[in-house]
Amino acid sequence: MGSGHDMVAGELARRLRRSGHEAVHADVLDMLPVGIGAGLRSFYRSAVRHVPLLYAGIYAAFFRAGDGPRPGSAPLAALAEDRLRAKVANERADAVVAVFHLAAQLTGRMRAHGRLAVPSAVVITDFAVHRQWLHRGNDLNLCLTPEIAREVRRSLGRPTAACGPLLPDRFRPHPAGEAYWRQRLASGDERPPVLLSTGAWGVGSRLGATARLLSGAGYLPVALCGRNERLRRLLSKVPGTLAMGWVEDMPGLIAASSALVDNAAGQTALEALAVGVPVVGYRPIPGHGVEGVRRMAVLGLTEHASDSWQLVQCLDRLAWGGPVPGRRLAADRPFFQGDVVPHLERLAARRR
């Protein structure tokens, strides 16, 4: 779904290979019967883009915790069991690691019923951990922060640890490319550039209004439209706005910006924190976006602006040297020093 989970899986595989291990990347949606995975992806993209209230309802029913029997995704995950079992056998795997909640339900269900012979771990990529991430069958859960790890441990009673975010090494303060982007973003009236993040799919509500708000407040809105070319064309018509498609050099672009306006609490927000650029959550996408943006603010990593006035106030304070949530992370980087590999090595060693 989008590119965030793929980026996490790719970075995890890179770290494992750097440590001398083999890593095989498989998409759980491709393991479902023909057409189901593609249909799920298309439905989710359309719902979040065009009918956000529908997705909010689905999230409330399937993902948010609640009393009494609740629908879940385990029956859907069961459709991928045969293909995962064959993949594990063919690759002679020592462990399976899920980085997407449907995969976590798949591996947990198989472990609980004795249908997966190797241990399974879950790398939880959300700040607000919904119940589809959680299955007592999984052997290990790896979380972004110690606070989240404690909550998951209390909920499941299973081994849990904090490993920090999985980001490539190039996301660090003053990366290569920063000077290039500073020159490119320099405007004649010296407006501070502010990034508007919409994810790989170009998703968000009232993005044009937000761009006009930022421009009117004296900022240069730089809209990151991902692979949504229609959105890029629409936002490029907003006066004073720089609308961009897919960007390869994200570390340099982020470093050259004054702040990131985020709506999903996903990889882009983590990348900005790693580079040392403040993040303000605003108009989050429904479901996990709303809960994640609020949770990041509660943890003191970002700010959350509940309306346009608060957004401008946050940006004005940050632009003039006020307190910056998460800035300490770029200085001593404790949040980014954790590593998932030793945890997985110990897990795989148990099997061997």
Side-chain angles (χ1 to χ4, degrees):
M1 301 293 186
S3 65
H5 297 288
D6 285 331
M7 293 175 67
V8 170
E11 175 60 15
L12 174 57
R14 186 191 69 81
R15 294 189 187 189
L16 287 167
R17 290 168 184 146
R18 185 178 62 186
S19 297
H21 307 290
E22 294 183 46
V24 178
H25 183 186
D27 190 334
V28 66
L29 295 182
D30 292 340
M31 292 183 175
L32 296 170
V34 176
I36 293 181
L40 281 174
R41 184 182 290 113
S42 177
F43 173 79
Y44 172 65
R45 181 172 55 235
S46 297
V48 173
R49 275 184 178 176
H50 307 299
V51 198
L53 287 178
L54 172 62
Y55 178 66
I58 293 172
Y59 186 88
F62 283 85
F63 294 83
R64 188 173 294 148
D67 297 329
R70 304 293 301 280
S73 60
L76 176 63
L79 299 175
E81 286 191 7
D82 290 342
R83 290 189 178 182
L84 177 58
R85 190 162 47 241
K87 189 79 170 177
V88 168
N90 291 340
E91 302 293 345
R92 301 174 63 188
D94 291 304
V96 178
V97 187
V99 299
F100 181 54
H101 55 78
L102 182 63
Q105 291 295 311
L106 169 62
T107 56
R109 177 189 174 98
M110 292 179 70
R111 289 290 285 165
H113 291 89
R115 292 196 284 266
L116 182 62
V118 302
S120 61
V122 181
V123 175
I124 299 174
T125 60
D126 284 341
F127 279 90
V129 181
H130 55 70
R131 63 189 183 90
Q132 296 302 328
W133 277 112
L134 308 178
H135 198 295
R136 287 185 172 87
N138 288 307
D139 300 270
L140 175 65
N141 295 278
L142 298 168
C143 305
L144 288 164
T145 71
E147 296 90 343
I148 298 173
R150 285 193 292 269
E151 292 176 8
V152 172
R153 189 181 303 114
R154 283 196 299 267
S155 177
L156 293 177
R158 300 289 288 160
T160 307
C163 64
L166 282 163
L167 294 174
D169 294 337
R170 64 181 183 274
F171 288 97
R172 61 183 187 276
H174 306 299
E178 178 179 357
Y180 163 79
W181 282 106
R182 286 194 181 279
Q183 182 177 11
R184 180 173 174 181
L185 297 179
S187 56
D189 51 6
E190 298 183 350
R191 290 181 295 159
V194 172
L195 298 180
L196 268 176
S197 176
T198 69
W201 286 347
V203 174
S205 64
R206 301 189 64 185
L207 295 168
T210 302
R212 284 188 289 272
L213 171 70
L214 295 180
S215 181
Y219 295 95
L220 170 63
V222 182
L224 303 175
C225 302
R227 295 187 171 91
N228 190 336
E229 180 60 22
R230 178 176 177 274
L231 177 64
R232 191 197 66 78
R233 290 196 302 269
L234 287 174
L235 292 183
S236 65
K237 298 177 182 178
V238 177
T241 299
L242 176 60
M244 308 186 72
W246 187 259
V247 177
E248 293 293 342
D249 180 23
M250 281 296 292
L253 174 57
I254 292 173
S257 303
S258 299
L260 171 77
V261 177
D262 169 63
N263 69 357
Q267 284 296 103
T268 308
L270 288 169
E271 291 165 358
L273 292 178
V275 172
V277 170
V279 178
V280 182
Y282 181 64
R283 292 192 180 280
I285 62 176
H288 66 278
V290 171
E291 296 193 352
V293 163
R294 291 173 178 169
R295 185 61 192 281
M296 288 189 78
V298 168
L299 290 172
L301 300 174
T302 65
E303 301 217 18
H304 178 212
S306 59
D307 55 36
S308 58
W309 184 86
Q310 283 192 3
L311 175 61
V312 174
Q313 290 292 307
C314 284
L315 293 175
D316 286 348
R317 174 167 46 78
L318 297 173
W320 292 99
V324 179
R327 176 61 58 82
R328 61 177 179 82
L329 301 176
D332 53 21
R333 302 179 69 78
F335 183 51
F336 301 96
Q337 289 175 350
D339 192 4
V340 67
V341 172
H343 297 286
L344 298 179
E345 289 175 331
R346 289 190 290 270
L347 185 69
R350 285 168 42 189
R351 190 249 177 172
R352 292 195 296 269

